[in-house]
Amino acid sequence: MKSDAITKGMQAAPQRSLLNALGFTKEEMKRPLIGIVSSYNEIVPGHMNIDKIVEAVKMGVAMAGGVPREFPAIAVCDGIAMGHSGMRYSLVTRDLIADSTECMALAHQFDGLVMIPNCDKNVPGLLMAAARVNIPTIFVSGGPMLAGKVHGHKRSLSSMFEAVGANAAGKMTDDEVAYFEEHVCPTCGSCSGMYTANSMNCLTEVLGMGLRGNGTIPAVYSERIRLAKKAGMQIMELVEKNIRPRDIMTKDAILNALTIDMALGCSTNSMLHLPAIAHEIGFDFDIKFANPISEKTPNLCHLAPAGHTYMEDLNEAGGVYAVMKEISELGLLNLDCMTVTGKTVGENIKNAVNLNPEVIRPLDNPYSKTGGLAVLSGNIAPDGSVVKRSAVVPEMMVHEGPARVFESEEDAIAAIKGGKIVPGDVVVIRYEGPKGGPGMREMLNPTSAIAGMGLGSSVALITDGRFSGASRGASIGHVSPEAAVGGPIGLIQEGDIISIDIPNYSLNLKVSDEELEERRKNFVPKKTEVSGYLARYASMVTSANRGAILEINK
């Protein structure tokens, strides 16, 4: 065992003395040492129940003969950070989480890890750490929030942001917004639609790193406590059999995740996180892999914000395994991939059943024959851009309109709420990419303002920043290369005609190559002045199409 380095032999006597200070017994020093990576905090709704999950995991570890020891991982609530300078600190935490977990796991020679994440960057950060550390590891998330109820209809956080836009358009009173405010987020848990946190918790199941139900069992259900106990017990089997993350998170497993991503209609942020996880196992993930997979993979789910079903509905319909079982019938999954159950994907999903064909459409009645995400390329985005096409209305799948150019999210929001954006416009928000932001802020406020003001079926938005999983409409993000490194999005001028063709994966500026070259001669990218961690991050971060991973400049 790895922990022998701190528990066995004369050379470990000083370490044993410190373990004695922790109250360890001699019997405990003979057992596997299991790190419990807790994301609990008191500011993120998705994490306020994680202390209960931790206690259940510890009980499971102890029942199976291990010694659990807890240490923390940070987490930012994207909803609370949204729309102000704090959003610069969301994506950047993914690497802090991975780095700090690596440090704790290896410094203390744990034999195994149980990761307990829940929200947006917390899940991929810990998946990255698991791949990097590569000791037996299992995940159990805090679980999704139940949907809110407003006037008899299910609602979620995206409804709240859109209510603010409706209020600005005079379509909703202050009192009506206040009523929404008190009812859309009724419980603890990750926000109740197929937003980024729930997308990544579901994909954790697909990757094989979490037990069945990891992504869908609601946070407030006692079933989640039972799941946590099972995860605590299961880590001991993984330690005994030495089944490690890189045995599970293989290239085939990541392509399985991308395939189910298309079927579920996951957040566009998965196209930042899957490449970053792949990087940790040495797999050079090109986001353009998405298009050929999307062409073969039907979209079976329309959870909020794309539709009117929620995570609790997906759970009752059979969960992620039921979706995988449907897609496996097309031969699109590698069923031989190993998982934390100690069994293969095929063995895990063998008896899964779709219990609600309205929530999980069967193969003969998909929402669309193509997947939920698309990567668009062209002279605006030579290295690609990402759109959640399952959340785009049919009339916006192909669109041409004049560019309305803004140098920041705040400027764009002011124009949208000020009534300066009209049907047909293409809002361009630049200098919000990984380097330019820095931190690649999410654009839920402008997309929600567009939807709330009734422009969702007539206005598009493109940015080198990114979108919340709660965004919907013709919202095209991750434009690469970004403006801050000289990307063509920085050359767009007010009134230029932009052509969007999602079915044909294209995003183009209808300006001649000669004119663009002339503009480039005088183009000096704007620089954002930052200090501290953001400055270090900006100096090391790569483009969105590479997952915004960090690399040392040589």
Side-chain angles (χ1 to χ4, degrees):
M1 296 189 297
K2 284 182 69 68
S3 60
D4 288 352
I6 60 172
T7 60
K8 301 289 191 302
M10 182 56 65
Q11 291 300 315
Q15 286 85 353
R16 287 196 298 274
S17 72
L18 291 167
L19 296 177
N20 285 333
L22 288 169
F24 270 61
T25 65
K26 289 182 179 178
E27 290 79 8
E28 285 177 304
M29 292 190 203
K30 296 175 183 176
R31 296 178 179 182
L33 182 61
I34 307 299
I36 313 298
V37 189
S38 168
S39 303
Y40 172 76
N41 63 51
E42 295 182 335
I43 190 60
V44 182
H47 292 236
M48 63 182 282
N49 66 318
I50 281 179
D51 56 341
K52 308 296 189 298
I53 305 295
V54 167
E55 290 308 310
V57 167
K58 287 180 179 178
M59 188 175 294
V61 170
M63 284 192 295
V67 180
R69 280 298 178 268
E70 178 184 349
F71 65 87
I74 64 169
V76 163
C77 175
D78 279 31
I80 294 174
M82 195 73 65
H84 55 83
S85 61
M87 179 45 74
R88 291 196 175 103
Y89 287 91
S90 172
L91 178 60
V92 305
T93 64
R94 186 185 69 183
D95 295 276
L96 284 175
I97 292 161
D99 293 349
S100 60
T101 303
E102 173 192 358
C103 292
M104 288 295 288
L106 296 181
H108 300 99
Q109 294 292 287
F110 287 104
D111 297 303
L113 298 170
V114 182
M115 307 289 203
I116 311 177
N118 213 27
C119 288
D120 293 21
K121 312 311 163 304
N122 193 239
V123 184
L126 290 179
L127 285 166
M128 290 163 65
R132 192 182 301 173
V133 173
N134 201 35
I135 60 176
T137 302
I138 193 170
F139 278 64
V140 55
S141 77
M145 184 184 291
L146 292 178
K149 297 285 179 63
V150 180
H151 306 309
H153 298 285
K154 288 184 178 182
R155 292 288 185 263
S156 62
L157 182 66
S158 55
S159 306
M160 189 69 250
F161 278 89
E162 290 178 15
V164 174
N167 178 264
K171 298 180 178 181
M172 186 177 284
T173 67
D174 290 358
D175 287 345
E176 287 172 326
V177 173
Y179 187 82
F180 264 69
E181 191 177 321
E182 293 171 1
H183 291 87
V184 296
C185 296
T187 72
C188 62
S190 48
C191 295
S192 56
M194 188 55 80
Y195 309 147
T196 306
N198 292 327
S199 294
M200 294 310 300
N201 280 326
C202 287
L203 295 184
T204 297
E205 275 190 65
V206 184
L207 285 168
M209 291 298 293
L211 298 176
R212 182 175 188 172
N214 175 73
T216 60
I217 298 170
V220 295
Y221 284 13
S222 298
E223 186 182 358
R224 179 143 303 264
I225 299 297
R226 296 197 297 273
L227 181 73
K229 290 177 183 176
K230 290 176 183 175
M233 291 186 280
Q234 187 61 24
I235 187 61
M236 299 306 296
E237 181 178 324
L238 296 175
V239 169
E240 181 184 350
K241 294 181 177 178
N242 196 29
I243 299 173
R244 295 180 290 172
R246 287 184 213 162
D247 299 324
I248 296 169
M249 288 193 285
T250 61
K251 176 180 177 180
D252 285 335
I254 288 171
L255 294 178
N256 278 352
L258 182 56
T259 300
I260 298 302
D261 187 328
M262 296 297 171
L264 284 170
C266 290
S267 165
T268 51
N269 282 311
S270 63
M271 296 301 288
L272 277 176
H273 303 321
L274 288 176
I277 295 162
H279 176 72
E280 296 293 343
I281 66 163
F283 171 27
D284 187 10
F285 183 106
D286 186 335
I287 63 169
K288 293 177 184 177
F289 291 160
N291 291 343
I293 288 177
S294 179
E295 288 292 338
K296 297 182 290 186
T297 309
N299 177 226
L300 305 182
C301 300
H302 261 195
L303 282 81
H308 301 291
T309 53
Y310 295 81
M311 295 306 296
E312 63 204 66
D313 302 311
L314 178 59
N315 187 61
E316 291 167 11
V320 174
Y321 276 21
V323 178
M324 294 175 73
K325 182 65 182 297
E326 290 278 1
I327 295 300
S328 72
E329 300 297 328
L330 296 174
L332 299 179
L333 296 180
N334 186 316
L335 301 180
D336 295 326
C337 292
M338 177 53 62
T339 73
V340 292
T341 66
K343 300 176 182 177
T344 65
V345 168
E347 291 173 310
N348 286 344
I349 68 173
K350 181 179 179 180
N351 297 317
V353 177
N354 180 357
L355 300 174
N356 189 337
E358 295 303 312
V359 176
I360 304 171
R361 292 275 187 93
L363 295 177
D364 60 1
N365 184 34
Y367 281 101
S368 65
K369 293 181 179 179
T370 52
L373 298 179
V375 173
L376 313 184
S377 301
N379 64 0
I380 295 176
D383 294 334
S385 61
V386 182
V387 63
K388 186 172 184 175
R389 67 171 160 193
S390 59
V392 179
V393 294
E395 55 266 41
M396 289 299 290
M397 295 295 281
V398 177
H399 178 75
E400 279 193 7
R404 304 298 310 280
V405 181
F406 302 95
E407 307 295 290
S408 71
E409 176 188 7
E410 289 81 1
D411 291 347
I413 292 170
I416 295 164
K417 291 185 176 179
K420 296 179 181 178
I421 302 301
V422 299
D425 283 349
V426 179
V427 176
V428 177
I429 306 177
R430 59 194 182 195
Y431 295 105
E432 293 287 6
K435 282 186 181 292
M440 205 178 181
R441 290 193 292 176
E442 285 187 342
M443 304 288 165
L444 181 55
N445 275 344
T447 59
S448 298
I450 287 169
M453 295 186 77
L455 297 171
S457 60
S458 60
V459 169
L461 191 156
I462 71 170
T463 180
D464 51 10
R466 61 195 178 92
F467 296 110
S468 165
S471 294
R472 62 187 176 98
S475 304
I476 302 164
H478 306 201
V479 170
S480 301
E482 61 179 292
V485 299
I489 189 173
L491 304 178
I492 300 173
Q493 295 181 1
E494 186 81 8
D496 285 346
I497 299 301
I498 291 175
S499 173
I500 299 165
D501 187 342
I502 296 173
N504 289 304
Y505 307 114
S506 71
L507 177 63
N508 283 292
L509 187 64
K510 299 190 83 173
V511 171
S512 70
D513 292 344
E514 292 77 16
E515 171 63 17
L516 287 178
E517 192 55 42
E518 194 62 33
R519 292 181 188 181
R520 187 174 294 283
K521 291 177 183 177
N522 300 312
F523 176 46
V524 179
K526 186 184 81 170
K527 291 191 179 296
T528 303
E529 294 299 323
V530 290
S531 59
Y533 179 59
L534 286 181
R536 280 183 281 135
Y537 181 86
S539 72
M540 298 174 68
V541 70
T542 62
S543 180
N545 69 295
R546 298 188 58 206
I549 60 172
L550 301 186
E551 285 187 339
I552 298 170
N553 294 322
K554 296 180 180 178

